[in-house]
Amino acid sequence: MDIWQVKDQLSDLVNKYKSQVDFFAIRLERSQGADIFLRSSKVETLSTGISIGGQVRACHKGGWGFASFNNLHNLESKLQEAIAAAKWVGNEETILAEVAPVQAKVSLVKENPQRIDLMAKKDLCAHYSDILRSVSDHVVSTAVRYGDCTQQVIFANSEGTMIEQEWADWEMRCSATARKGDIVQTGRETFGSRRTYTDLLNLDQQVIGAAQRAVTALDLPNVQGNSYTVVIDPILAGLFVHEAFGHLSEADMLYENPDMLETMSIGRRFGSKDLQIFDGAAPAEHRGSYLYDDEGVPASTTQLIKDGVLVGRLHSRETAGKLGEQVTGNARCLDYHYPPIVRMTNTWIGRGQTPVADLFHDIPVGVYAKNWQEGMTNGEMFTFTAGEAWMIRDGKIAEPVRDVTLSGNVFETLADIEAIGDDFLWDESGGCGKGGQSGLAVGCGSPSLRIRNAIVGGEAND
């Protein structure tokens, strides 16, 4: 059975069960995609698949029931299960921010991935794999992964909302590992798009660059670990704002944690008056873009920091209701197996006014870091590894160095941003993980940043 065949039942189910609980929502999904993986030019995965299923969430007296299913014939029985579960656990008050009911049918698909032949996608992966290996004999292994997906979703709730929405997503990941003796280095490039397959074509120079960075780094000196003034490019800065600050803005991390809620109190100053941070799905054609979230709330743009001061956070209907704030349209789920939780969409730092060349001015000894290799956060602490880096000497970019990690406290680091560049780039390569839901498409953007007192890890000083 297809989700479109079940659509006509949704209104009947809403009318039949809406008086039994405070709230419920039904989300039906059809997902179709391809997955290709080449390791050192050998095909390890070459597959296509179609997934059809749904989920039901019910809330009664503050308690939630959830059920997911992949047999649409079970829809009504699963709705009954979710309602029963909500009644079993609910013993307080249901508080959901009010949202006007919506009736909508929208499509964000510009090109259907299924119209591209699977072998053409495999040949593209093989082409990029060959390029990675051709850069140097020091390249000992390569990895190329391609994925695409089209999702069609029908969402209905007990308040009268009925939304049909579809989108397509594309991703290509390329990496090369180089070795010389005991030294091993890796370079990577990741590309993503919500537009068309052609966005993944003609990327030869970027793919070559990934392998060249790995090979070049084999002969570079390690950076001397110390506290430096650093300049980071828009790609690394975008990762920073997403990982280090964005997750702390997700209200489900806050409303049950009084200490963090106090730390992230509205009106607190975090940086200079030049610092502006936003998140939103409303900007079109980015990987975190959509028109309605997975609770049927219209997409918006939320300013999180204005002139250096915290002015907003990201919400589901429940977190907005419990904190007495406006909904933001940030409830998202990876697919029908998971309930929606508060997630970032497209997160960015606003463009500054400092010419990029001036960011290096008067730095006697510092570090310039570009791109990212990996990163991790733990609450307000972060550690990121740059994809490539150079020393800054007397205000100029000097010799390249390797194994540059940046770490610190996000709040201290925001306060230490002393200049914001007049450039800006979007990074569409993100796949965000939270609550067991990994790989959710997001966008990140930023100008270049100059940060004082940054802790740079590397080789220890004698």
Side-chain angles (χ1 to χ4, degrees), residues 102-135:
V102 175
Q103 301 281 328
K105 182 176 182 179
V106 295
S107 176
L108 300 177
V109 177
K110 293 187 172 295
E111 180 181 22
N112 190 326
Q114 282 71 57
R115 293 181 179 176
I116 311 299
D117 184 73
L118 182 64
M119 288 302 103
K121 300 170 185 176
K122 190 270 290 181
D123 290 344
L124 180 63
C125 293
H127 172 66
Y128 290 148
S129 183
D130 291 343
I131 287 177
L132 291 169
R133 291 300 300 265
S134 70
V135 168

Side-chain angles (χ1 to χ4, degrees), residues 263-310:
T263 299
M264 293 289 290
S265 58
I266 299 296
R268 177 180 173 182
R269 176 167 291 280
F270 285 110
S272 75
K273 62 179 179 60
D274 297 322
L275 181 63
Q276 323 290 335
I277 299 180
F278 306 85
D279 180 276
E285 296 189 347
H286 297 295
R287 290 193 73 208
S289 302
Y290 47 78
L291 295 181
Y292 299 93
D293 75 359
D294 288 312
E295 291 186 324
V297 178
S300 65
T301 295
T302 303
Q303 185 154 13
L304 303 174
I305 287 185
K306 181 179 181 180
D307 302 334
V309 175
L310 187 71

